[in-house]
């Protein structure tokens, strides 16, 4: 079935089964492999993308469901070779170690309210597992990013 | 430090604690950072090769039995399928995973010895067809009796003994003998990227060779395994590590098995074959941390002096030997904890069971044995009526003391210092928490929400039980005993027209290898960090630097690189800065074509080890750690929760403070997970909770604030004083938490994970 998708500001038409996981459509049909699979059952958050601004596990979403919606993946963060401020904050604070959770973690962070407290950051990232960092540096990065957003 | 790195320029938190050092000790930009935050980094599952097939594994569904028949459904359309079984492994190749022994087959021949043991391999171009086909193959077994419980198992895969002093005399002199038995459960490494490889026929000019790309810690282990499996010379085997999404030991030995499987399929198909495990398969099939049962008998003087330590230690090896002998060795050597005793006896055994083999996991046996040691210390303190900190101080290693293997601790002994620092940091944190709690309590009182007292250990009206626990520990850096001499690791530096390129087989798996090695070389050469490039970890290009394990990548391999840099510097003659370096480099390159300096491990002269008697300097240096856990227990659900955690670790020198802190925070949390949540439930020899829905690792909400302090007691043979950092942090959290639970409840748990069920059993 032909589906029209809006991903990172660009329009795409893909020929896929409507129930194909959005994760697979992104990775296989659009070659956007920055979105990762960690468990395939909505537990680890490695496949988190934004759908109309909301953080969603792409492994649980059928492709047909995002027709007409705006999908944003990690590839949509940097523009013209300039890193997004959140990406820079992740680098500055050592928030990316092995990097496999990083794209999903950043997408989840982007869905946080602008004035999030540390407790809200913790709650907002609870669906994203990281096995490397112990999360401390991720909080630092997200807090640095949000502090900049407030200005 | 270099003012700005061209790579991602993100070093804002540079600290001036490094004095004259310009790169080492500074938070330079992570070498592969930009790729990781933009999604450009290519992990194995992101790669697609032309004409590639997907591979899958047919696995045993019984823990022990004879294979009677493997049958394909004749009704199914098998077009396009490729099959491999043990008969496809032909001489000079051998059906044996080359590890310490060769007891484990790549594919079962006529018997299976554990659940999920590979029997057949299947490949197809279409993943859905592949899954459908796999489901249409059945194995008939004649079941055999399975030994699933290692505590009652009798077959010993490996036994070692450490003896020092006169134990009988020590026990004869004792005022009190304290005995205790401690248990730890299996733990899954749970890298977020599962195991995966792509094998393709041919290697360079050799059409009959094999190339494997994949997620792994030790490319040269995979080379060796493929050489044995396929009977190929080294020149015909090429292994390339792809960006690796976490390892923690789980990608030390297992990728050899998976690479072998993919290679067999690729050779039979004549096409590239990708095998990437789904999470369920990764959980049921790959190695875990060895479960343990450890009994301590300690001869004590009334004043708290340890006279003699007698330890019996058993690990569950699973069905095959894998790396268990060396896990056992590290467990045994660390089994006393960081305490002196004139008489020590340690008996260690790995038991065979019909369960999937256990293997490497961060800490490598030391977390198990030091859990027992530190929970036992609290038991001794209670039985003698001595304060736990005072008891520890009395027996803690000092410079000049001698370890269980007879190693005299010459330098870099920070056991007391980490304890002092942890107590100081904990006091500050406690004060802050009390202040915050005071505020909440005041607020709560207004709302009528505070129901009871929150005094240590005293619960009333459903208020949580609170307690604080301590653990002290140490961790030897590098391979045990003569291991580094046997490895004879090589690493080096090639001159380029823009700087240098590191030629090193150590892998970046998230811990920061690339960045840290580049810092060491930049500092040693006196050139900016951004002039250092690192060759891809491709065995066709880089030398064997030994495995990326055992907290050795900085201290051991980093030192080899430092020596290579010093040699290269001597060859280049005088230069003042990066610019003049480049000039000299170009001149030298013009004259010689290529300039490479490859150095090999050199044993420091003062390290002596006897592998037969198990005596001597087990490790060149030790990292030292102190943990303090604050916990609370819900008196209704019995769920224990860590509310604050203090970790102070001496690592000699933090080459990159943020990366080093990241190792300590991550290792600490992995230890907290093992202590409280991570429960591998086995049924009929198979992991029953093999999904992320019910194998629970800590989320942000389970993670307490972690206060970290790095202590730097330099080690003279480490680069810029550095020792190992990766593993030490996971040795202490479990004991600290279980000791805190005892402080909160007055009850002994003596086992991890401290699940609500276990806590309830202890309390009710």
């Amino acid at each position: 079935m032909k589906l029209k998708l809006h991903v990172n500001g660009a329009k795409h038409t893909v020929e896929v089964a409507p129930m194909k996981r959005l994760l697979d459509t992104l990775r296989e049909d659009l070659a956007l492999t920055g979105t990762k699979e960690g468990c395939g059952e909505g537990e680890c958050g490695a496949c988190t993308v934004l759908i109309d601004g909301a953080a969603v596990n792409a492994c649980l979403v059928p492709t047909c469901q995002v027709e007409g919606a705006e999908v944003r993946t990690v590839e949509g963060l940097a523009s013209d070779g300039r890193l997004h401020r959140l990406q820079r904050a992740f680098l500055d604070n050592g928030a990316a170690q092995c990097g496999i959770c990083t794209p999903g973690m950043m997408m989840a962070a982007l869905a946080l309210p602008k004035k999030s407290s540390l407790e809200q950051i913790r709650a907002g990232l609870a669906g994203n597992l990281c096995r490397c960092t112990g999360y401390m540096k991720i909080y630092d990065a997200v807090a640095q990013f949000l502090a900049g957003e407030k200005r | 430090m270099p003012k700005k790195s061209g790579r991602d320029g993100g070093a804002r938190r540079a600290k001036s604690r490094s004095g004259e050092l310009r790169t080492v000790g500074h938070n330079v930009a992570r070498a592969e950072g930009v790729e990781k935050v933009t999604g450009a980094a290519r992990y194995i599952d992101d790669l697609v090769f032309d004409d590639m097939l997907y591979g899958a594994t047919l696995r045993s569904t019984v823990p022990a039995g004879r294979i009677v028949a493997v049958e394909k459904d004749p009704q199914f359309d098998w077009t396009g399928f490729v099959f491999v079984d043990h008969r496809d492994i032909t001489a000079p190749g051998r059906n044996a995973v080359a590890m310490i022994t060769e007891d484990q087959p790549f594919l079962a021949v006529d018997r299976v010895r554990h659940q999920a043991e590979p029997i057949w391999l299947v490949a197809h171009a279409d993943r859905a067809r592949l899954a459908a086909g796999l489901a249409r193959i059945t194995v008939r077994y004649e079941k055999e009796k399975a030994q699933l419980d290692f505590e009652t198992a009798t077959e010993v895969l490996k036994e070692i003994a450490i003896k020092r002093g006169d134990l009988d005399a020590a026990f004869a002199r004792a005022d009190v003998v304290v005995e205790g038995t401690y248990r730890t459960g299996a733990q899954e490494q749970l890298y977020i990227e599962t195991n995966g490889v792509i094998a393709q026929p041919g290697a360079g000019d050799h059409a009959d060779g094999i190339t494997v790309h994949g997620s792994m810690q030790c490319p040269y282990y995979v080379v060796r395994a493929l050489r044995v499996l396929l009977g190929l010379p080294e020149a015909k085997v090429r292994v390339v590590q792809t960006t690796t999404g976490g390892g923690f030991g789980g990608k030390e030995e297992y990728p050899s098995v998976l690479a072998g499987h993919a290679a067999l399929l690729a050779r039979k198909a004549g096409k590239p074959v990708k095998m990437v495990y789904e999470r369920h398969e990764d959980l049921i099939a790959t190695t875990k941390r060895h479960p343990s049962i450890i009994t301590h008998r300690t001869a004590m003087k009334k004043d708290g002096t340890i006279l003699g330590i007698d330890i019996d230690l058993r690990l569950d090896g699973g069905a095959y030997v894998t790396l268990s002998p060396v896990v056992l060795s590290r467990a045994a050597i660390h089994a006393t904890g960081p305490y002196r005793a004139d008489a020590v006896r340690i008996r260690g055994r790995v038991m065979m069971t019909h369960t999937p083999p256990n293997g490497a996991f961060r800490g490598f046996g030391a977390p198990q044995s030091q859990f027992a040691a530190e929970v036992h210390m609290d038991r001794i303190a209670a039985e003698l009526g001595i304060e736990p900190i005072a008891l520890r101080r009395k027996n803690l290693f000092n410079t000049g003391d001698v370890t269980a293997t007879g190693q005299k601790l010459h330098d870099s002994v920070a056991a007391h210092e980490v304890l002092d620092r942890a107590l100081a940091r904990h006091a500050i944190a406690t004060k802050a928490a009390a202040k915050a709690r005071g505020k909440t309590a005041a607020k709560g009182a207004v709302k009528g929400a505070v129901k009871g007292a929150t005094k240590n250990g005293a619960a009333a009206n459903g208020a949580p039980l609170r307690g604080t626990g301590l653990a002290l520990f140490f961790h030897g850096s590098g391979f045990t005993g003569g291991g580094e001499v046997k490895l004879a690791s090589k690493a080096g530096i090639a001159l380029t027209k823009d700087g240098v390129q590191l030629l090193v087989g150590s892998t970046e798996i998230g811990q920061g290898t690339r960045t840290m090695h580049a810092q060491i070389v930049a500092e040693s050469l006196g050139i900016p960090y951004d002039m250092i490039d690192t060759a891809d970890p491709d065995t066709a290009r880089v030398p064997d630097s030994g495995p990326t394990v055992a907290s050795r990548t900085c201290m051991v391999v980093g030192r080899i690189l430092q020596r290579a840099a010093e040699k290269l510097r001597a060859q280049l003659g005088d230069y003042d800065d990066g610019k003049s370096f480049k000039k000299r480099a170009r001149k030298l390159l013009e004259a010689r074509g290529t300039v490479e300096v490859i150095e090999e491990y050199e044993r420091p002269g003062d390290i002596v080890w006897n592998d037969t008697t198990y005596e001597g300097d087990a490790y060149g240096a030790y990292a030292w750690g102190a943990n303090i856990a604050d916990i609370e227990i819900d008196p209704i659900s019995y769920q224990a929760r860590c509310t604050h955690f203090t970790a102070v670790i001496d690592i000699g020198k933090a080459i990159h403070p943020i990366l080093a802190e990241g190792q300590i925070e991550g290792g600490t949390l992995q230890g907290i997970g093992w202590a409280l949540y991570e429960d591998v439930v086995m049924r009929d020899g198979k992991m029953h909770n093999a999904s992320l829905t019910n194998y629970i690792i800590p989320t942000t909400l389970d993670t307490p604030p972690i206060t970290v302090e790095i202590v730097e007691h330099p080690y003279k043979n480490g680069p810029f004083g550095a020792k190992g950092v990766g593993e030490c942090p996971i040795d202490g959290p479990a004991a600290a938490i279980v000791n805190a639970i005892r402080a909160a409840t007055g009850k002994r748990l003596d086992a991890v994970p401290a699940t609500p069920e276990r806590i309830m059993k202890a309390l009710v």
Side-chain angles (χ1 to χ4, degrees):
Chain A
M1 189 177 163
K2 271 200 174 124
L3 294 173
K4 285 193 179 121
L5 302 181
H6 232 101
V7 183
N8 299 328
K11 285 182 189 156
H12 302 272
T13 306
V14 292
E15 176 80 46
V16 298
M19 291 305 286
K20 184 169 183 172
R21 304 185 304 173
L22 174 60
L23 172 62
D24 297 331
T25 302
L26 291 170
R27 292 178 54 83
E28 294 166 8
D29 299 275
L30 300 178
L32 296 171
T33 54
T35 304
K36 306 300 181 188
E37 175 163 2
C39 69
E41 56 183 11
E43 290 289 342
C44 76
C47 64
T48 306
V49 298
L50 297 181
I51 299 177
D52 288 337
V56 176
N57 289 319
C59 73
L60 299 182
V61 177
T63 307
C64 62
Q65 199 178 314
V66 300
E67 248 200 328
E70 176 60 46
V71 178
R72 200 166 175 211
T73 71
V74 67
E75 288 89 349
L77 295 185
S79 58
D80 304 329
R82 283 178 51 111
L83 293 180
H84 188 280
R85 287 198 318 98
L86 179 60
Q87 291 172 317
R88 178 137 304 285
F90 265 63
L91 290 177
D92 289 351
N93 291 281
Q97 286 191 22
C98 85
I100 194 85
C101 78
T102 306
M105 193 69 77
M106 289 192 299
M107 299 322 284
L110 284 173
L112 292 170
K114 292 242 170 0
K115 286 184 182 167
S116 292
S117 64
L118 177 60
E119 280 316 296
Q120 286 169 309
I121 294 173
R122 284 180 72 205
L125 299 180
N128 293 75
L129 296 176
C130 171
R131 192 60 153 169
C132 291
T133 61
Y135 302 110
M136 300 295 129
K137 308 265 179 255
I138 293 173
Y139 301 156
D140 291 347
V142 175
Q144 177 187 313
F145 164 69
L146 291 176
E149 287 291 277
K150 267 188 274 180
R151 272 189 258 122
Chain B
M1 62 169 290
K3 245 187 134 77
K4 187 176 159 288
S5 149
R7 275 183 265 196
D8 59 12
R12 285 187 201 168
R13 281 182 21 176
K15 290 166 190 165
S16 58
R17 65 169 98 157
S18 291
E20 293 303 302
L21 298 177
R22 289 193 296 170
T23 306
V24 162
H26 297 277
N27 294 315
V28 300
R30 186 177 188 108
E32 79 297 356
V34 170
E35 295 99 286
K36 283 180 173 171
V37 299
T38 55
R42 290 280 174 265
Y43 298 77
I44 189 66
D45 204 23
D46 303 335
L47 299 176
V48 177
F49 290 12
D50 288 340
D51 205 19
M52 186 177 84
L53 306 183
Y54 295 90
T57 314
L58 180 73
R59 299 180 180 280
S60 62
T61 52
V62 299
R66 203 173 63 79
I67 299 170
V68 177
V70 184
E71 289 158 350
K72 287 184 292 196
D73 182 349
Q75 306 298 314
F76 190 76
D77 175 8
W78 293 103
T79 314
F81 276 86
V82 180
F83 304 96
V84 163
D85 70 11
H86 70 91
R87 290 166 300 182
D88 291 293
I89 302 166
T90 51
R94 294 199 297 280
N95 185 10
V97 184
M99 232 162 276
I100 292 172
T101 61
E102 291 193 358
D103 62 327
Q104 182 179 13
F106 275 96
L107 293 168
V109 178
D110 53 357
R111 280 199 147 65
V112 292
R113 282 162 67 91
H114 64 84
Q115 290 263 21
E117 178 154 17
I119 298 171
W120 271 25
L121 303 165
V122 188
H124 195 274
D126 183 273
R127 268 180 293 182
R129 290 290 300 157
L130 177 64
L134 194 65
R136 302 293 185 95
I137 307 171
T138 45
V139 184
R140 285 195 289 121
Y141 306 92
E142 210 166 80
K143 274 205 187 181
E144 294 174 325
K145 194 181 172 319
Q147 174 65 47
L148 300 177
D149 177 12
F150 80 104
E151 292 192 19
T152 57
T154 52
E155 190 181 337
V156 178
L157 293 176
K158 173 76 182 178
E159 174 157 6
I160 59 171
I162 295 173
K163 272 186 194 144
R164 194 173 107 73
D166 187 341
L167 197 74
D168 292 339
F171 275 85
R173 275 169 58 213
D175 296 321
V176 184
V177 172
V178 182
E179 192 170 331
T181 295
Y182 308 91
R183 290 176 172 82
T184 63
Q187 185 183 22
E188 163 60 32
Q189 295 86 358
L190 221 116
Y191 28 71
I192 304 294
E193 181 208 32
T194 54
N195 269 288
V197 300
I198 300 173
Q200 87 195 110
D205 300 333
H206 306 283
D208 58 340
I210 189 83
T211 300
V212 171
H213 288 73
S215 179
M216 64 185 73
Q217 295 175 224
C218 313
Y220 274 95
Y221 276 9
V222 177
V223 168
R224 193 171 140 241
L226 291 172
R227 286 182 56 192
V228 169
L229 169 67
L230 305 173
L232 291 173
E234 183 155 344
K236 295 187 180 182
V237 178
R238 178 181 167 211
V239 175
V240 185
Q241 185 227 9
T242 48
T243 307
T244 295
F248 315 108
K251 294 172 186 170
E252 174 172 353
E253 75 273 36
Y254 196 82
S256 296
V257 176
L258 183 53
H261 289 168
L264 288 169
L265 279 169
R267 281 173 57 109
K268 187 143 185 196
K271 292 176 180 184
V273 173
K274 179 192 262 195
M275 295 184 82
V276 175
Y277 287 167
E278 289 195 350
R279 183 60 64 185
H280 175 78
E281 183 173 26
D282 196 289
L283 287 169
I284 60 166
T286 71
T287 55
K288 312 263 179 292
R289 183 185 301 291
H290 294 72
S292 75
I293 174 167
I294 300 169
T295 297
H296 275 249
R297 274 177 69 236
T298 316
M300 298 296 304
K301 266 167 74 173
K302 251 188 287 183
D303 70 353
T305 307
I306 298 173
L307 297 172
I309 301 177
D310 189 10
I311 299 171
D312 181 84
L313 183 161
R314 275 176 291 156
L315 303 176
D316 182 352
Y320 297 108
V321 171
T322 67
L323 298 172
S324 291
V326 273
V327 173
L328 178 69
S329 149
R330 189 174 280 271
I333 290 169
H334 290 80
T336 60
Y339 306 105
R340 83 183 86 81
D342 289 335
V344 181
R345 181 173 70 185
I346 301 164
R347 181 192 190 197
R349 282 168 292 170
V350 178
M351 311 309 295
M352 182 271 172
T353 57
H354 291 100
T355 58
N358 291 307
F361 191 151
R362 192 181 211 161
F364 216 66
Q368 292 96 315
S369 65
Q370 294 195 84
F371 167 77
E374 275 303 86
V375 176
H376 191 63
M377 279 307 267
D378 266 26
R379 187 183 206 128
I380 293 171
E383 292 202 12
L384 292 180
I386 297 177
E387 208 276 320
I389 298 172
L391 173 70
R392 285 174 168 87
R393 282 200 198 281
K394 204 171 179 81
N395 298 289
L396 212 46
F397 280 137
N398 280 307
T399 304
D401 281 338
V402 178
T403 70
T405 62
Q407 174 171 9
K408 192 164 184 182
L409 297 167
H410 303 285
D411 63 345
S412 193
V413 182
H416 284 274
E417 188 171 346
V418 293
L419 171 59
D420 293 338
R421 294 305 307 152
L423 290 170
R425 293 301 293 256
H426 180 256
I428 295 166
T430 306
K431 228 177 178 177
K435 213 171 159 187
R437 235 195 343 259
K439 270 188 204 160
T440 331
K443 262 192 213 163
V446 176
K447 292 181 189 162
V450 170
K451 287 181 183 151
T454 54
K455 250 192 346 198
N456 230 24
N461 307 327
L465 300 156
R466 292 208 168 92
T468 299
L470 171 72
L472 305 180
F473 45 99
F474 68 148
H475 200 97
S477 309
F479 262 34
T480 305
E484 290 296 346
V485 175
K486 277 186 213 150
L487 279 177
S489 301
K490 294 183 186 67
I493 304 172
L495 214 50
T496 65
K497 61 186 192 354
D498 300 313
V500 299
Q501 186 180 48
L502 307 191
L503 303 173
V504 56
S506 303
T507 51
E508 169 66 60
I509 57 171
Q511 79 288 49
T513 296
R514 281 193 166 209
T515 310
M516 170 272 291
H517 278 169
Q519 284 178 277
I520 289 169
V521 171
E523 191 70 56
S524 306
L525 286 175
I527 60 176
Y529 169 73
D530 60 8
M531 282 174 66
I532 317 288
D533 176 43
T534 301
D536 285 331
D538 175 344
T539 59
R541 175 69 180 125
V542 299
D544 185 356
S545 308
T548 301
V549 304
S551 306
R552 64 184 296 280
T553 304
C554 179
M555 186 181 97
V556 178
V557 184
R559 175 72 188 127
I560 300 171
L561 283 170
Q562 186 182 28
R563 285 184 18 240
E566 284 159 2
K567 275 209 175 149
L568 181 64
R569 190 166 191 161
Q571 287 186 26
L572 281 164
D574 275 347
Y575 58 88
D576 323 313
D577 56 9
K579 223 181 200 173
S580 52
F581 176 94
K582 264 187 217 173
K583 261 190 211 157
R584 289 203 163 251
R586 284 175 194 188
K587 234 186 213 161
L588 205 60
L589 280 170
E590 263 168 43
R592 292 204 222 156
T594 55
V595 181
E596 282 183 14
V597 181
I598 307 283
E599 284 293 292
E600 190 175 312
Y601 173 76
E602 271 177 15
R603 181 177 62 91
D606 52 356
I607 297 182
V608 180
W609 175 257
N610 184 330
D611 222 9
T612 330
T613 60
Y614 242 71
E615 284 172 315
D617 301 309
Y619 303 98
Y622 295 85
W624 303 88
N627 282 169
I628 302 175
D630 297 299
I631 63 108
E632 59 180 42
I633 300 171
D634 183 317
I636 294 161
S637 70
Y638 297 103
Q639 177 72 60
R641 198 171 68 85
C642 189
T643 53
H644 184 265
F645 204 94
T646 305
V648 177
I649 313 280
D650 163 41
I651 59 171
K653 172 76 189 168
I655 303 293
H656 188 298
I658 285 184
L659 289 180
E661 282 167 22
Q663 283 299 295
I664 295 170
E665 288 160 1
T668 297
L669 184 59
Q670 215 165 25
I672 295 172
W674 185 46
L676 289 176
Y677 306 108
E678 300 184 32
D679 196 6
V680 175
V681 179
M682 298 293 284
R683 284 201 194 149
D684 196 28
K686 184 183 174 187
M687 185 174 179
H688 189 64
N689 55 334
S691 87
L692 280 183
T693 307
N694 44 21
Y695 181 80
I696 305 299
I697 67 165
T699 70
T700 50
L701 293 177
D702 307 310
T703 302
I706 303 171
T707 298
V708 170
E709 184 171 318
I710 292 173
V711 171
E712 296 182 322
H713 257 277
Y715 167 53
K716 64 176 184 294
N717 297 314
F720 303 95
K723 303 186 281 189
V725 59
E727 291 171 291
C728 188
I730 205 170
D731 288 351
I737 284 171
V738 164
N739 287 340
I741 291 172
R742 183 184 146 83
T745 62
K747 302 282 184 187
R748 271 205 299 269
L749 213 58
D750 297 345
V752 286
T755 54
E757 292 84 352
R758 236 187 207 137
I759 294 173
M760 185 176 83
K761 231 172 153 183
L763 290 187
V764 180

